[in-house]
């Protein structure tokens, strides 16, 4: 065995050790520790914040759901057709004529559905979020839907408005974000209210 062969083996030892250390340490161990801590500290969120009905997981509070009945509050539109495996925005620029055309058509449709003037339609009811899966709406976007939902459910608008108020989440820690309402939680609460009567 020559000196150059020994030197070659010695010079390879350090990079190979570093590669194995990085692969196992950061690729495997770091991921396992992060996952374990997430499950320990936030067990419900780490498993998808699933909504369980009749003993079966049905939906997630973190993913917008489509509602196609007048009895339900409508969620924000989704560029991914509410498919969490294809979450994405439309990637259309504001200057894109197709985007403007789609938004204008959506404003007219929402205004007709809710019985409000087109100028009163909140932008989030006609535009998609960046990920296409935002489960929340602003109180304003929910409030313009109260009359329709109350009428379709045969409830007094004040009862539905009370449910909206009860499901309004304040900014996190009182300062982060805006007041918001999880549309799925609100719709499920309205369904439960109807079953209790």
């Amino acid at each position: 065995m020559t000196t150059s062969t020994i030197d070659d083996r010695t010079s390879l030892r350090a990079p190979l050790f570093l590669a194995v250390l990085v692969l196992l340490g950061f690729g495997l161990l770091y991921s396992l520790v992060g996952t374990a801590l997430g499950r320990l500290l936030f067990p419900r969120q780490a498993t998808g914040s699933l909504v369980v009905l009749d003993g079966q997981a049905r939906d997630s509070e973190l993913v917008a759901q489509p509602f196609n009945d007048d009895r339900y509050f409508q969620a924000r539109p989704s560029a991914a057709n509410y498919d969490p495996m294809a979450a994405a925005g439309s990637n259309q620029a504001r200057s894109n004529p197709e985007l403007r055309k789609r938004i204008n058509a959506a404003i007219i449709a929402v205004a007709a559905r809710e019985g409000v003037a087109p100028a009163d339609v909140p932008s989030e009811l006609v535009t998609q979020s960046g990920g296409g899966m935002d489960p929340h709406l602003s109180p304003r976007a929910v409030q313009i839907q109260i009359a329709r939902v109350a009428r379709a459910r045969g409830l007094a608008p004040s009862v539905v408005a009370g449910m909206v108020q009860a499901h309004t989440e304040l900014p996190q820690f009182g300062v982060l974000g805006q007041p918001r309402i999880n549309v799925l939680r609100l719709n499920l609460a309205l369904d439960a209210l109807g079953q209790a009567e």
Side-chain angles (χ1 to χ4, degrees):
M1 192 177 289
T2 65
T3 307
S4 64
T5 305
I6 294 172
D7 289 343
D8 289 344
R9 287 184 185 171
T10 305
S11 64
L12 285 176
R13 190 174 300 150
L16 287 175
F17 175 76
L18 181 62
V20 169
L21 178 68
V22 168
L23 181 65
L24 293 178
F26 296 112
L28 179 65
L29 188 61
Y30 179 78
S31 300
L32 290 175
V33 169
T35 301
L37 282 174
R39 284 182 170 256
L40 180 68
L41 299 174
F42 308 101
R44 189 161 186 284
Q45 294 90 335
T47 56
S49 295
L50 297 176
V51 174
V52 178
L53 298 172
D54 300 325
Q56 291 191 357
R58 302 282 174 131
D59 298 304
S60 169
E61 292 177 359
L62 304 176
V63 179
Q65 309 291 323
F67 294 96
N68 299 317
D69 189 314
D70 279 347
R71 297 168 21 88
Y72 294 103
F73 286 93
Q74 305 299 309
R76 189 171 187 169
S78 171
N81 201 26
Y82 303 100
D83 179 0
M85 300 306 289
S90 69
N91 294 329
Q92 292 178 321
R94 287 178 175 236
S95 58
N96 188 316
E98 289 299 314
L99 177 64
R100 289 183 189 167
K101 182 178 174 183
R102 185 188 60 75
I103 288 175
N104 288 336
I107 288 172
I108 292 167
V110 170
R113 181 185 76 206
E114 306 303 343
V116 298
D120 294 333
V121 174
S123 63
E124 67 199 277
L125 288 179
V126 296
T127 58
Q128 301 143 346
S129 65
M133 297 301 191
D134 190 354
H136 295 94
L137 287 176
S138 69
R140 181 172 172 246
V142 172
Q143 286 163 356
I144 73 160
Q145 300 183 61
I146 288 174
R148 172 184 49 82
V149 171
R151 189 171 46 253
R153 287 183 177 266
L155 295 170
S158 61
V159 171
V160 178
M163 294 291 287
V164 168
Q165 183 65 35
H167 284 83
T168 300
E169 302 170 27
L170 298 176
Q172 194 171 18
F173 309 119
V175 294
L176 299 177
Q178 300 293 320
R180 62 201 175 281
I181 298 160
N182 186 292
V183 177
L184 176 63
R185 282 190 206 144
L186 177 59
N187 284 332
L188 291 175
L190 284 167
D191 282 346
L193 179 69
Q195 291 168 0
E197 291 176 346

